[in-house]
Amino acid sequence: MSLDMTQALTLLNEHQLLIQTTQPASTQTFQHVTYDSRQVTADTLFFCKGNFKPAYLASAKAAGATAYVAETAYDEAGAGLTGIIVTNIQKAMALLGAAFYGYPQNDLFIVAFTGTKGKTTSSYFTYHIEKQHTDNHVALFSTIDRIVGNKPADKFKSDLTTPESLDLFHDMRSAVDNGMTHLVMEVSSQAYKKNRVYGLTFDVGIFLNITPDHIGENEHPTFADYLHCKEQLLVNSRTCIINAETAQLLDVYQTAKATTEPEQIYLYAREGAKLALPLDLDVTFKNVNEDLHQSDFAVTALSDKAKALALDETYELHVPGDYNESNAVSAIMAGALSGAKSTEIKQALVDVHVPGRMEMVTSPDHGTIYIDYAHNYASLKALLQFLHQQTHAGKVIVVIGSTGNKGVSRREGFGKALSEEADVAILTTDDPGYEDPKVIADAIDAHIDHERVTVQFVMDRQTAIETAINMSTPDDIVVLAGKGEDAYQKVNGVNTPYPTDVTIAKNAVKEL
């Protein structure tokens, strides 16, 4: 992989990003690109992004960087280097990253999901469908895992839902070089807010839903901004799939229509659902049977273009929760658009396991424990409602915290969901970042109805889980919400190893 100066400047000019170069541009060729000064080697093009300090550039220069890209010139730290000054460093990094790695997106059929909830689950459903369809030639970029090939070394934990652009194109290139032909990925609102996917066009873009979330000083200033960023996936997709039960349907649908022909927009919803707009649906689905271990649901194509996908079947899903049927339908439609047959889709869905989603641990003398990534009002409410319907539980005991420095609106939502569906809430720590976890817990508690819910504060998460299990009786259910199988706690900027909720629950049951 390489990128020469002429190519870089031409690209930036074409996108009206280039302001100037700090000295006459040379004919140099870059053999490496990075935004991390610790990864610089000879002939590196270095990107000055984010919370940047001039000392980083000085370090990059000493390690072999020959030019830098920035929104301002660093005459002292960058002395002797060609400075490429741009209007937007994130857009420039995405454009030049794609070029450096040889535009790997052109060799992949890319299915992308956005939504306040369900992105990860839907992505795993689609990933398994494409594995079946392509004979294991599919990559996955998700909140949980990044998979770029079929060897053990090709699978690793994700640090971001949607990686920084240089990392994104690096991993796409790795996937292509490993023989992958398809890619399933989550696209967060932050990916558009921070231009991580600038210039990318997706083959299929799926809009699942939107509820108030990720609103705060370090994320989106308003819900309107959050919605706008979510909708950009539809603007940048050749074919759009929209869950017609989503809030803000008028805005979402009009956004898709503005850039996509109606023949390439597919709408789906649960049979009989009340929609915000009188739109003709392409696909409906209905539940046939469900319990705590599986659900069976029938999918029906209504429009001619949907009938051409040949997806009318009854499907079996072993990830419980009626809300997961909607996620599965989006994956079925995406799979069919990629060429997967209904027989391949049916087989794939039976075998799906989504790490950290509806994991269950049983205890003979205490409550049944459910571990789920539910991390906002909508997902926690849906999870607790489903468990109420399926278990006829005695008490519902929920262990929950909320993230620090982001998703501040979740705290009120958690308090509301707990008031509506829980009997006991044990408030604890969940990726507090630079905030005091007790302050976060107090913010949740402020929105809990204390006449309906008993509240405890146990700030050590492992102790909180053990406390919840110990207090439960065989008729109770214990819900560990928010972290799933996440093996880290983000504390003061450091990923601190954490044994996972699943491991702690299993060990607690063994000890009992």
Side-chain angles (χ1 to χ4, degrees):
M1 301 292 104
S2 65
L3 178 71
D4 65 56
M5 180 68 79
T6 301
Q7 184 183 8
L9 298 181
T10 299
L11 268 174
L12 296 173
N13 260 322
E14 287 176 349
H15 288 261
Q16 299 180 322
L17 292 171
L18 182 65
I19 297 175
Q20 65 177 37
T21 57
T22 59
Q23 58 188 37
S26 66
T27 57
Q28 60 188 293
T29 297
F30 307 108
Q31 302 299 331
H32 306 279
V33 292
T34 186
Y35 57 85
D36 186 341
S37 60
R38 297 166 296 182
Q39 297 179 2
V40 172
T41 59
D43 299 320
T44 291
L45 177 62
F46 183 70
F47 292 87
C48 308
K49 76 162 196 75
N51 297 319
F52 183 76
K53 298 177 182 179
Y56 300 157
L57 180 55
S59 176
K61 176 183 172 183
T66 52
Y68 67 92
V69 185
E71 292 179 2
T72 187
Y74 294 96
D75 295 334
E76 185 175 341
L81 302 181
T82 300
I84 303 171
I85 312 307
V86 296
T87 58
N88 188 305
I89 184 63
Q90 292 281 164
K91 289 182 178 180
M93 192 165 70
L95 285 173
L96 299 183
F100 178 83
Y101 288 108
Y103 300 101
Q105 66 269 33
N106 294 340
D107 296 317
L108 293 164
F109 185 95
I110 307 178
V111 177
F113 287 89
T114 199
T116 303
K117 62 174 183 173
K119 293 190 300 296
T120 301
T121 301
S122 301
S123 294
Y124 267 84
F125 290 160
T126 310
Y127 172 68
H128 280 269
I129 289 170
E130 297 299 349
K131 280 186 71 175
Q132 189 81 18
H133 170 53
T134 66
D135 191 24
N136 293 319
H137 289 81
V138 57
L140 173 69
F141 298 171
S142 79
T143 300
I144 302 172
D145 292 318
R146 220 171 299 165
I147 303 171
V148 298
N150 295 318
K151 298 177 182 177
D154 295 330
K155 178 178 179 179
F156 45 92
K157 291 296 179 184
S158 296
D159 53 349
L160 291 169
T161 296
T162 310
E164 285 287 0
S165 56
L166 289 189
D167 303 320
L168 179 66
F169 289 112
H170 171 277
D171 290 349
M172 282 188 182
R173 170 49 56 194
S174 295
V176 171
D177 290 348
N178 287 331
M180 304 298 104
T181 57
H182 290 57
L183 167 63
V184 180
M185 64 182 289
E186 299 179 46
V187 180
S188 66
S189 58
Q190 285 293 299
Y192 277 107
K193 183 74 174 173
K194 297 187 176 181
N195 291 299
R196 293 175 189 155
V197 290
Y198 180 72
L200 259 182
T201 299
F202 304 98
D203 292 285
V204 181
I206 300 99
F207 192 103
L208 296 172
N209 49 64
I210 188 163
T211 58
D213 198 18
H214 298 289
I215 313 300
E217 59 179 344
N218 295 321
E219 296 183 283
H220 298 279
T222 63
F223 178 76
D225 183 72
Y226 179 48
L227 174 61
H228 172 76
C229 290
K230 284 285 188 195
E231 291 173 334
Q232 296 315 295
L233 178 66
L234 301 175
V235 173
N236 292 283
S237 294
R238 296 182 180 92
T239 300
C240 300
I241 298 174
I242 300 172
N243 177 2
E245 296 180 68
T246 188
Q248 311 296 322
L249 178 59
L250 173 61
D251 204 302
V252 172
Y253 183 60
Q254 293 294 346
T255 298
K257 282 180 61 181
T259 55
T260 308
E261 293 296 325
E263 293 76 18
Q264 298 302 318
I265 300 174
Y266 293 78
L267 299 170
Y268 76 96
R270 188 178 295 273
E271 188 175 291
K274 294 182 179 180
L275 307 183
L277 292 175
L279 296 174
D280 292 329
L281 295 172
D282 298 291
V283 173
T284 61
F285 67 97
K286 65 178 180 180
N287 176 264
V288 176
N289 178 59
E290 69 177 350
D291 58 30
L292 278 172
H293 303 284
Q294 76 175 66
S295 66
D296 302 310
F297 58 97
V299 175
T300 302
L302 302 178
S303 67
D304 289 340
K305 64 186 179 186
K307 289 176 182 177
L309 298 177
L311 43 70
D312 284 35
E313 281 283 0
T314 297
Y315 297 86
E316 180 181 322
L317 188 66
H318 286 191
V319 181
D322 52 0
Y323 48 90
N324 279 320
E325 294 174 353
S326 178
N327 295 330
V329 172
S330 71
I332 290 167
M333 295 171 69
L337 285 166
S338 78
K341 296 180 173 60
S342 61
T343 51
E344 295 172 321
I345 296 171
K346 287 184 69 172
Q347 181 58 50
L349 289 179
V350 169
D351 297 331
V352 172
H353 169 254
V354 185
R357 268 57 175 182
M358 280 299 285
E359 305 271 7
M360 184 171 67
V361 178
T362 58
S363 171
D365 300 315
H366 292 266
T368 303
I369 304 135
Y370 297 92
I371 301 99
D372 193 86
Y373 187 63
H375 61 289
N376 52 42
Y377 169 76
S379 56
L380 182 62
K381 170 83 172 179
L383 170 65
L384 296 180
Q385 273 189 328
F386 173 74
L387 291 174
H388 265 301
Q389 294 165 0
Q390 293 294 324
T391 64
H392 308 292
K395 294 194 301 293
V396 176
I397 304 166
V398 182
V399 176
I400 194 166
S402 191
T403 53
N405 308 112
K406 68 175 185 177
V408 175
S409 60
R410 295 176 185 174
R411 301 169 194 183
E412 179 179 355
F414 285 151
K416 182 181 177 183
L418 292 167
S419 298
E420 293 167 350
E421 303 292 343
D423 298 294
V424 179
I426 299 180
L427 303 181
T428 188
T429 302
D430 181 349
D431 292 341
Y434 292 95
E435 289 193 67
D436 181 343
K438 179 59 164 59
V439 172
I440 297 173
D442 286 337
I444 299 172
D445 183 59
H447 298 283
I448 294 177
D449 182 350
H450 291 85
E451 292 186 1
R452 299 187 61 183
V453 183
T454 302
V455 178
Q456 291 188 32
F457 293 83
V458 183
M459 302 322 299
D460 178 78
R461 191 174 180 96
Q462 178 166 338
T463 304
I465 292 170
E466 293 167 349
T467 300
I469 295 171
N470 277 319
M471 73 165 57
S472 65
T473 67
D475 292 332
D476 298 338
I477 62 173
V478 176
V479 177
L480 312 181
K483 288 197 70 67
E485 289 193 1
D486 187 1
Y488 295 92
Q489 286 271 21
K490 295 177 177 63
V491 182
N492 293 323
V494 177
N495 282 338
T496 306
Y498 172 73
T500 80
D501 286 0
V502 175
T503 300
I504 291 171
K506 289 179 177 178
N507 289 340
V509 168
K510 286 180 182 178
E511 292 177 8
L512 288 170

